[in-house]
Amino acid sequence: MNNKTSFWLVKQEPSKYSWETFLKDGGTYWDGVRNYQARNNLQLMTKGDRVFFYHSVTGKEIVGIAEVTREAYPDPTTDDSRWVVIDLKPIKSLVHPVSLEEIKIHKDLQENALVRQSRLSVMPITKKESQVILKLGKTSI
DNA sequence: GCCAACGTTGGC
DNA sequence: GCCAACGTTGGC
């Protein structure tokens, strides 16, 4: 990680693809994004960027952090050329998962899309926000 | 090009 | 299970 490293957050329902499965797999390509704003964020990711993994619907907490190992390329699960995937591999689980509730009450996280735009599935996280999340998660990377 | 209808996501 | 927020679709 260097000072060009960006931070992101991706959402996934654990019933569809959980952090535990991700750990077991040791990495995956991140498919299924069918929203232009989320797609645009995927395309902005560069190798080495850090990605928080959020469990939506069930759990509603940030559970771990991953690393971008391959930048955007065409989604292999569709013929539609509009969509892309990235490759991710797990770095570590958060010592203490950071719940949506904690995020909502923390003054430095109010502006994040997780709070403001609940339906967006891939979003940028500022450096400051990422530090706050790591602190809340009692985790360092 | 507008907008109503409809579908999906995700918090509650 | 409900519904708000938002995106997409299709008629005009």
Side-chain angles (χ1 to χ4, degrees):
Chain A
M1 188 166 70
N2 57 47
N3 61 7
K4 283 183 186 159
T5 305
S6 299
F7 289 84
W8 308 89
L9 182 143
V10 295
K11 287 182 180 176
Q12 187 57 268
E13 292 189 38
S15 61
K16 290 179 181 160
Y17 191 82
S18 70
W19 173 251
E20 289 72 25
T21 307
F22 181 51
L23 282 178
K24 205 173 297 175
D25 289 350
T28 188
Y29 55 82
W30 203 258
D31 68 328
V33 171
R34 295 291 182 271
N35 168 284
Y36 291 113
Q37 203 180 342
R39 191 276 312 268
N40 292 344
N41 287 331
L42 282 183
Q43 288 176 325
L44 290 171
M45 292 185 187
T46 58
K47 204 173 168 184
D49 282 357
R50 300 294 149 105
V51 181
F52 290 104
F53 194 119
Y54 175 79
H55 275 170
S56 62
V57 184
T58 319
K60 284 176 286 181
E61 56 190 14
I62 300 172
V63 289
I65 186 159
E67 177 178 351
V68 176
T69 55
R70 184 176 171 190
E71 295 173 13
Y73 58 99
D75 188 335
T77 66
T78 176
D79 290 334
D80 193 329
S81 62
R82 292 175 298 170
W83 309 117
V84 300
V85 298
I86 50 147
D87 286 357
L88 289 178
K89 74 163 189 210
I91 297 179
K92 60 166 64 172
S93 306
L94 293 187
V95 174
H96 167 76
V98 179
S99 69
L100 182 61
E101 197 178 4
E102 288 175 273
I103 291 163
K104 279 185 161 176
I105 61 179
H106 198 291
K107 61 176 170 47
D108 292 332
L109 299 174
Q110 292 300 304
E111 295 306 309
N112 189 259
L114 205 57
V115 178
R116 285 198 353 265
Q117 203 180 344
S118 68
R119 292 188 51 196
L120 186 62
S121 62
V122 181
M123 66 191 76
I125 301 284
T126 67
K127 199 140 280 188
K128 184 174 185 190
E129 287 168 339
S130 68
Q131 284 164 5
V132 171
I133 293 167
L134 287 169
K135 193 175 172 199
L136 289 173
K138 305 188 196 311
T139 305
S140 58
I141 52 170

mmCIF file of all heavy atoms in Angstrom, chain A residues 50-83:
data_model
loop_
_atom_site.group_PDB
_atom_site.id
_atom_site.type_symbol
_atom_site.label_atom_id
_atom_site.label_comp_id
_atom_site.label_asym_id
_atom_site.label_seq_id
_atom_site.Cartn_x
_atom_site.Cartn_y
_atom_site.Cartn_z
ATOM 1 N N ARG A 50 -7.603 -0.988 -1.944
ATOM 2 C CA ARG A 50 -8.206 -1.758 -0.854
ATOM 3 C C ARG A 50 -9.719 -1.641 -0.904
ATOM 4 O O ARG A 50 -10.256 -0.547 -1.149
ATOM 5 C CB ARG A 50 -7.692 -1.249 0.494
ATOM 6 C CG ARG A 50 -6.189 -1.376 0.635
ATOM 7 C CD ARG A 50 -5.815 -2.834 0.646
ATOM 8 N NE ARG A 50 -4.500 -3.057 0.074
ATOM 9 C CZ ARG A 50 -3.408 -3.341 0.794
ATOM 10 N NH1 ARG A 50 -3.484 -3.394 2.096
ATOM 11 N NH2 ARG A 50 -2.261 -3.569 0.205
ATOM 12 N N VAL A 51 -10.398 -2.743 -0.680
ATOM 13 C CA VAL A 51 -11.849 -2.798 -0.847
ATOM 14 C C VAL A 51 -12.496 -3.389 0.400
ATOM 15 O O VAL A 51 -12.241 -4.545 0.756
ATOM 16 C CB VAL A 51 -12.216 -3.664 -2.071
ATOM 17 C CG1 VAL A 51 -13.733 -3.705 -2.259
ATOM 18 C CG2 VAL A 51 -11.546 -3.133 -3.339
ATOM 19 N N PHE A 52 -13.316 -2.586 1.047
ATOM 20 C CA PHE A 52 -14.074 -3.097 2.184
ATOM 21 C C PHE A 52 -15.222 -3.966 1.679
ATOM 22 O O PHE A 52 -15.857 -3.650 0.673
ATOM 23 C CB PHE A 52 -14.650 -1.950 3.022
ATOM 24 C CG PHE A 52 -13.602 -1.184 3.781
ATOM 25 C CD1 PHE A 52 -13.185 0.074 3.342
ATOM 26 C CD2 PHE A 52 -13.039 -1.714 4.935
ATOM 27 C CE1 PHE A 52 -12.213 0.780 4.044
ATOM 28 C CE2 PHE A 52 -12.064 -1.008 5.636
ATOM 29 C CZ PHE A 52 -11.653 0.236 5.193
ATOM 30 N N PHE A 53 -15.480 -5.046 2.388
ATOM 31 C CA PHE A 53 -16.511 -6.014 2.013
ATOM 32 C C PHE A 53 -17.662 -5.875 2.994
ATOM 33 O O PHE A 53 -17.505 -6.122 4.192
ATOM 34 C CB PHE A 53 -15.889 -7.422 2.086
ATOM 35 C CG PHE A 53 -16.675 -8.534 1.425
ATOM 36 C CD1 PHE A 53 -16.123 -9.255 0.363
ATOM 37 C CD2 PHE A 53 -17.931 -8.899 1.892
ATOM 38 C CE1 PHE A 53 -16.823 -10.308 -0.234
ATOM 39 C CE2 PHE A 53 -18.637 -9.949 1.300
ATOM 40 C CZ PHE A 53 -18.083 -10.652 0.243
ATOM 41 N N TYR A 54 -18.816 -5.454 2.473
ATOM 42 C CA TYR A 54 -19.985 -5.199 3.314
ATOM 43 C C TYR A 54 -21.053 -6.254 3.085
ATOM 44 O O TYR A 54 -21.384 -6.574 1.938
ATOM 45 C CB TYR A 54 -20.540 -3.815 2.984
ATOM 46 C CG TYR A 54 -21.821 -3.431 3.691
ATOM 47 C CD1 TYR A 54 -21.803 -2.988 5.014
ATOM 48 C CD2 TYR A 54 -23.046 -3.494 3.031
ATOM 49 C CE1 TYR A 54 -22.981 -2.628 5.663
ATOM 50 C CE2 TYR A 54 -24.224 -3.129 3.671
ATOM 51 C CZ TYR A 54 -24.184 -2.699 4.989
ATOM 52 O OH TYR A 54 -25.352 -2.340 5.623
ATOM 53 N N HIS A 55 -21.577 -6.773 4.174
ATOM 54 C CA HIS A 55 -22.693 -7.717 4.091
ATOM 55 C C HIS A 55 -24.011 -6.961 4.160
ATOM 56 O O HIS A 55 -24.358 -6.406 5.200
ATOM 57 C CB HIS A 55 -22.640 -8.721 5.256
ATOM 58 C CG HIS A 55 -21.750 -9.903 4.992
ATOM 59 N ND1 HIS A 55 -21.407 -10.795 5.980
ATOM 60 C CD2 HIS A 55 -21.150 -10.345 3.857
ATOM 61 C CE1 HIS A 55 -20.620 -11.742 5.454
ATOM 62 N NE2 HIS A 55 -20.445 -11.484 4.181
ATOM 63 N N SER A 56 -24.751 -6.939 3.052
ATOM 64 C CA SER A 56 -26.038 -6.249 3.057
ATOM 65 C C SER A 56 -27.146 -7.213 3.469
ATOM 66 O O SER A 56 -26.961 -8.432 3.475
ATOM 67 C CB SER A 56 -26.329 -5.670 1.674
ATOM 68 O OG SER A 56 -26.419 -6.695 0.718
ATOM 69 N N VAL A 57 -28.317 -6.629 3.770
ATOM 70 C CA VAL A 57 -29.540 -7.348 4.110
ATOM 71 C C VAL A 57 -29.396 -8.169 5.395
ATOM 72 O O VAL A 57 -30.071 -7.902 6.387
ATOM 73 C CB VAL A 57 -30.040 -8.248 2.951
ATOM 74 C CG1 VAL A 57 -31.364 -8.898 3.318
ATOM 75 C CG2 VAL A 57 -30.203 -7.420 1.682
ATOM 76 N N THR A 58 -28.541 -9.186 5.375
ATOM 77 C CA THR A 58 -28.311 -9.984 6.575
ATOM 78 C C THR A 58 -26.946 -9.612 7.129
ATOM 79 O O THR A 58 -25.951 -9.766 6.446
ATOM 80 C CB THR A 58 -28.305 -11.489 6.240
ATOM 81 O OG1 THR A 58 -29.348 -11.750 5.310
ATOM 82 C CG2 THR A 58 -28.499 -12.323 7.475
ATOM 83 N N GLY A 59 -26.909 -9.131 8.352
ATOM 84 C CA GLY A 59 -25.633 -8.718 8.912
ATOM 85 C C GLY A 59 -25.512 -7.214 8.935
ATOM 86 O O GLY A 59 -25.403 -6.614 9.986
ATOM 87 N N LYS A 60 -25.584 -6.600 7.739
ATOM 88 C CA LYS A 60 -25.447 -5.152 7.625
ATOM 89 C C LYS A 60 -24.205 -4.646 8.349
ATOM 90 O O LYS A 60 -24.276 -3.815 9.249
ATOM 91 C CB LYS A 60 -26.704 -4.444 8.135
ATOM 92 C CG LYS A 60 -27.832 -4.529 7.162
ATOM 93 C CD LYS A 60 -29.103 -3.924 7.710
ATOM 94 C CE LYS A 60 -29.697 -4.859 8.748
ATOM 95 N NZ LYS A 60 -30.948 -4.329 9.284
ATOM 96 N N GLU A 61 -23.082 -5.208 7.980
ATOM 97 C CA GLU A 61 -21.831 -4.776 8.584
ATOM 98 C C GLU A 61 -20.679 -5.005 7.627
ATOM 99 O O GLU A 61 -20.744 -5.869 6.753
ATOM 100 C CB GLU A 61 -21.594 -5.516 9.912
ATOM 101 C CG GLU A 61 -21.610 -7.029 9.752
ATOM 102 C CD GLU A 61 -21.622 -7.770 11.076
ATOM 103 O OE1 GLU A 61 -21.874 -7.146 12.112
ATOM 104 O OE2 GLU A 61 -21.376 -8.996 11.049
ATOM 105 N N ILE A 62 -19.636 -4.196 7.835
ATOM 106 C CA ILE A 62 -18.407 -4.383 7.073
ATOM 107 C C ILE A 62 -17.625 -5.484 7.772
ATOM 108 O O ILE A 62 -17.368 -5.400 8.975
ATOM 109 C CB ILE A 62 -17.586 -3.082 7.027
ATOM 110 C CG1 ILE A 62 -18.404 -1.961 6.373
ATOM 111 C CG2 ILE A 62 -16.284 -3.308 6.270
ATOM 112 C CD1 ILE A 62 -17.740 -0.593 6.476
ATOM 113 N N VAL A 63 -17.299 -6.525 7.025
ATOM 114 C CA VAL A 63 -16.711 -7.697 7.672
ATOM 115 C C VAL A 63 -15.237 -7.917 7.354
ATOM 116 O O VAL A 63 -14.541 -8.612 8.091
ATOM 117 C CB VAL A 63 -17.497 -8.980 7.319
ATOM 118 C CG1 VAL A 63 -18.850 -8.972 7.999
ATOM 119 C CG2 VAL A 63 -17.659 -9.118 5.810
ATOM 120 N N GLY A 64 -14.769 -7.343 6.262
ATOM 121 C CA GLY A 64 -13.382 -7.622 5.923
ATOM 122 C C GLY A 64 -12.844 -6.655 4.890
ATOM 123 O O GLY A 64 -13.550 -5.759 4.425
ATOM 124 N N ILE A 65 -11.583 -6.855 4.568
ATOM 125 C CA ILE A 65 -10.948 -5.987 3.581
ATOM 126 C C ILE A 65 -10.199 -6.847 2.564
ATOM 127 O O ILE A 65 -9.588 -7.856 2.910
ATOM 128 C CB ILE A 65 -10.051 -4.926 4.267
ATOM 129 C CG1 ILE A 65 -9.514 -3.926 3.259
ATOM 130 C CG2 ILE A 65 -8.946 -5.568 5.091
ATOM 131 C CD1 ILE A 65 -9.087 -2.627 3.899
ATOM 132 N N ALA A 66 -10.314 -6.414 1.305
ATOM 133 C CA ALA A 66 -9.748 -7.173 0.194
ATOM 134 C C ALA A 66 -8.855 -6.253 -0.625
ATOM 135 O O ALA A 66 -8.795 -5.045 -0.390
ATOM 136 C CB ALA A 66 -10.872 -7.721 -0.679
ATOM 137 N N GLU A 67 -8.172 -6.851 -1.571
ATOM 138 C CA GLU A 67 -7.269 -6.096 -2.438
ATOM 139 C C GLU A 67 -7.621 -6.361 -3.898
ATOM 140 O O GLU A 67 -7.963 -7.492 -4.263
ATOM 141 C CB GLU A 67 -5.825 -6.548 -2.157
ATOM 142 C CG GLU A 67 -4.800 -5.866 -3.064
ATOM 143 C CD GLU A 67 -3.368 -6.283 -2.738
ATOM 144 O OE1 GLU A 67 -3.163 -6.959 -1.706
ATOM 145 O OE2 GLU A 67 -2.479 -5.952 -3.518
ATOM 146 N N VAL A 68 -7.532 -5.316 -4.710
ATOM 147 C CA VAL A 68 -7.756 -5.469 -6.150
ATOM 148 C C VAL A 68 -6.520 -6.127 -6.754
ATOM 149 O O VAL A 68 -5.419 -5.604 -6.649
ATOM 150 C CB VAL A 68 -8.002 -4.096 -6.819
ATOM 151 C CG1 VAL A 68 -8.144 -4.259 -8.333
ATOM 152 C CG2 VAL A 68 -9.224 -3.422 -6.230
ATOM 153 N N THR A 69 -6.715 -7.289 -7.385
ATOM 154 C CA THR A 69 -5.575 -7.984 -7.999
ATOM 155 C C THR A 69 -5.598 -7.889 -9.517
ATOM 156 O O THR A 69 -4.623 -8.202 -10.178
ATOM 157 C CB THR A 69 -5.526 -9.469 -7.575
ATOM 158 O OG1 THR A 69 -6.784 -10.078 -7.882
ATOM 159 C CG2 THR A 69 -5.261 -9.591 -6.085
ATOM 160 N N ARG A 70 -6.745 -7.494 -10.091
ATOM 161 C CA ARG A 70 -6.804 -7.277 -11.534
ATOM 162 C C ARG A 70 -7.809 -6.183 -11.814
ATOM 163 O O ARG A 70 -8.917 -6.200 -11.272
ATOM 164 C CB ARG A 70 -7.203 -8.565 -12.253
ATOM 165 C CG ARG A 70 -7.174 -8.422 -13.764
ATOM 166 C CD ARG A 70 -7.480 -9.725 -14.485
ATOM 167 N NE ARG A 70 -7.654 -9.489 -15.922
ATOM 168 C CZ ARG A 70 -8.119 -10.403 -16.774
ATOM 169 N NH1 ARG A 70 -8.437 -11.609 -16.344
ATOM 170 N NH2 ARG A 70 -8.268 -10.113 -18.051
ATOM 171 N N GLU A 71 -7.413 -5.250 -12.663
ATOM 172 C CA GLU A 71 -8.291 -4.129 -12.981
ATOM 173 C C GLU A 71 -9.390 -4.545 -13.951
ATOM 174 O O GLU A 71 -9.351 -5.630 -14.512
ATOM 175 C CB GLU A 71 -7.441 -2.970 -13.527
ATOM 176 C CG GLU A 71 -6.490 -2.453 -12.449
ATOM 177 C CD GLU A 71 -5.498 -1.416 -12.952
ATOM 178 O OE1 GLU A 71 -5.671 -0.904 -14.061
ATOM 179 O OE2 GLU A 71 -4.537 -1.132 -12.209
ATOM 180 N N ALA A 72 -10.344 -3.655 -14.142
ATOM 181 C CA ALA A 72 -11.579 -3.967 -14.878
ATOM 182 C C ALA A 72 -11.341 -4.635 -16.225
ATOM 183 O O ALA A 72 -10.508 -4.205 -17.020
ATOM 184 C CB ALA A 72 -12.385 -2.685 -15.066
ATOM 185 N N TYR A 73 -12.090 -5.703 -16.459
ATOM 186 C CA TYR A 73 -12.096 -6.394 -17.748
ATOM 187 C C TYR A 73 -13.518 -6.876 -18.008
ATOM 188 O O TYR A 73 -14.342 -6.900 -17.085
ATOM 189 C CB TYR A 73 -11.076 -7.540 -17.773
ATOM 190 C CG TYR A 73 -11.241 -8.614 -16.713
ATOM 191 C CD1 TYR A 73 -11.880 -9.821 -17.016
ATOM 192 C CD2 TYR A 73 -10.738 -8.445 -15.428
ATOM 193 C CE1 TYR A 73 -12.001 -10.826 -16.056
ATOM 194 C CE2 TYR A 73 -10.862 -9.449 -14.462
ATOM 195 C CZ TYR A 73 -11.495 -10.627 -14.774
ATOM 196 O OH TYR A 73 -11.632 -11.613 -13.826
ATOM 197 N N PRO A 74 -13.844 -7.266 -19.262
ATOM 198 C CA PRO A 74 -15.243 -7.590 -19.587
ATOM 199 C C PRO A 74 -15.805 -8.706 -18.707
ATOM 200 O O PRO A 74 -15.126 -9.690 -18.432
ATOM 201 C CB PRO A 74 -15.160 -8.032 -21.052
ATOM 202 C CG PRO A 74 -13.931 -7.371 -21.568
ATOM 203 C CD PRO A 74 -12.968 -7.312 -20.421
ATOM 204 N N ASP A 75 -17.018 -8.528 -18.279
ATOM 205 C CA ASP A 75 -17.697 -9.512 -17.432
ATOM 206 C C ASP A 75 -17.854 -10.834 -18.184
ATOM 207 O O ASP A 75 -18.557 -10.896 -19.192
ATOM 208 C CB ASP A 75 -19.075 -8.949 -17.048
ATOM 209 C CG ASP A 75 -19.787 -9.820 -16.014
ATOM 210 O OD1 ASP A 75 -19.493 -11.025 -15.939
ATOM 211 O OD2 ASP A 75 -20.642 -9.272 -15.294
ATOM 212 N N PRO A 76 -17.179 -11.891 -17.721
ATOM 213 C CA PRO A 76 -17.248 -13.186 -18.425
ATOM 214 C C PRO A 76 -18.611 -13.870 -18.312
ATOM 215 O O PRO A 76 -18.868 -14.844 -19.018
ATOM 216 C CB PRO A 76 -16.164 -14.029 -17.726
ATOM 217 C CG PRO A 76 -16.015 -13.431 -16.372
ATOM 218 C CD PRO A 76 -16.333 -11.963 -16.518
ATOM 219 N N THR A 77 -19.471 -13.347 -17.458
ATOM 220 C CA THR A 77 -20.763 -14.013 -17.265
ATOM 221 C C THR A 77 -21.846 -13.458 -18.181
ATOM 222 O O THR A 77 -22.995 -13.887 -18.115
ATOM 223 C CB THR A 77 -21.235 -13.883 -15.800
ATOM 224 O OG1 THR A 77 -21.505 -12.498 -15.508
ATOM 225 C CG2 THR A 77 -20.179 -14.399 -14.831
ATOM 226 N N THR A 78 -21.492 -12.490 -19.038
ATOM 227 C CA THR A 78 -22.493 -11.937 -19.951
ATOM 228 C C THR A 78 -21.863 -11.547 -21.279
ATOM 229 O O THR A 78 -20.666 -11.254 -21.338
ATOM 230 C CB THR A 78 -23.186 -10.706 -19.328
ATOM 231 O OG1 THR A 78 -24.089 -10.149 -20.288
ATOM 232 C CG2 THR A 78 -22.178 -9.627 -18.946
ATOM 233 N N ASP A 79 -22.669 -11.541 -22.339
ATOM 234 C CA ASP A 79 -22.203 -11.091 -23.653
ATOM 235 C C ASP A 79 -22.321 -9.582 -23.793
ATOM 236 O O ASP A 79 -21.810 -8.993 -24.736
ATOM 237 C CB ASP A 79 -23.035 -11.750 -24.763
ATOM 238 C CG ASP A 79 -22.735 -13.236 -24.866
ATOM 239 O OD1 ASP A 79 -21.622 -13.640 -24.478
ATOM 240 O OD2 ASP A 79 -23.618 -13.996 -25.309
ATOM 241 N N ASP A 80 -23.006 -8.989 -22.846
ATOM 242 C CA ASP A 80 -23.233 -7.545 -22.885
ATOM 243 C C ASP A 80 -21.936 -6.805 -22.565
ATOM 244 O O ASP A 80 -21.414 -6.900 -21.462
ATOM 245 C CB ASP A 80 -24.325 -7.206 -21.854
ATOM 246 C CG ASP A 80 -24.849 -5.799 -22.037
ATOM 247 O OD1 ASP A 80 -24.084 -4.919 -22.475
ATOM 248 O OD2 ASP A 80 -26.031 -5.576 -21.745
ATOM 249 N N SER A 81 -21.434 -6.084 -23.548
ATOM 250 C CA SER A 81 -20.111 -5.472 -23.405
ATOM 251 C C SER A 81 -20.084 -4.264 -22.468
ATOM 252 O O SER A 81 -19.033 -3.688 -22.226
ATOM 253 C CB SER A 81 -19.583 -5.053 -24.784
ATOM 254 O OG SER A 81 -20.454 -4.085 -25.334
ATOM 255 N N ARG A 82 -21.252 -3.880 -21.987
ATOM 256 C CA ARG A 82 -21.274 -2.716 -21.094
ATOM 257 C C ARG A 82 -20.698 -3.013 -19.714
ATOM 258 O O ARG A 82 -20.306 -2.116 -18.993
ATOM 259 C CB ARG A 82 -22.722 -2.232 -20.892
ATOM 260 C CG ARG A 82 -23.347 -1.634 -22.124
ATOM 261 C CD ARG A 82 -24.802 -1.296 -21.880
ATOM 262 N NE ARG A 82 -25.584 -2.489 -21.556
ATOM 263 C CZ ARG A 82 -26.849 -2.458 -21.110
ATOM 264 N NH1 ARG A 82 -27.458 -1.306 -20.930
ATOM 265 N NH2 ARG A 82 -27.494 -3.570 -20.844
ATOM 266 N N TRP A 83 -20.671 -4.293 -19.338
ATOM 267 C CA TRP A 83 -20.361 -4.625 -17.945
ATOM 268 C C TRP A 83 -18.974 -5.214 -17.753
ATOM 269 O O TRP A 83 -18.479 -5.934 -18.613
ATOM 270 C CB TRP A 83 -21.428 -5.570 -17.381
ATOM 271 C CG TRP A 83 -22.816 -5.046 -17.612
ATOM 272 C CD1 TRP A 83 -23.798 -5.626 -18.365
ATOM 273 C CD2 TRP A 83 -23.375 -3.827 -17.122
ATOM 274 N NE1 TRP A 83 -24.917 -4.839 -18.355
ATOM 275 C CE2 TRP A 83 -24.691 -3.730 -17.607
ATOM 276 C CE3 TRP A 83 -22.888 -2.801 -16.324
ATOM 277 C CZ2 TRP A 83 -25.526 -2.647 -17.316
ATOM 278 C CZ3 TRP A 83 -23.717 -1.718 -16.031
ATOM 279 C CH2 TRP A 83 -25.026 -1.644 -16.524
#
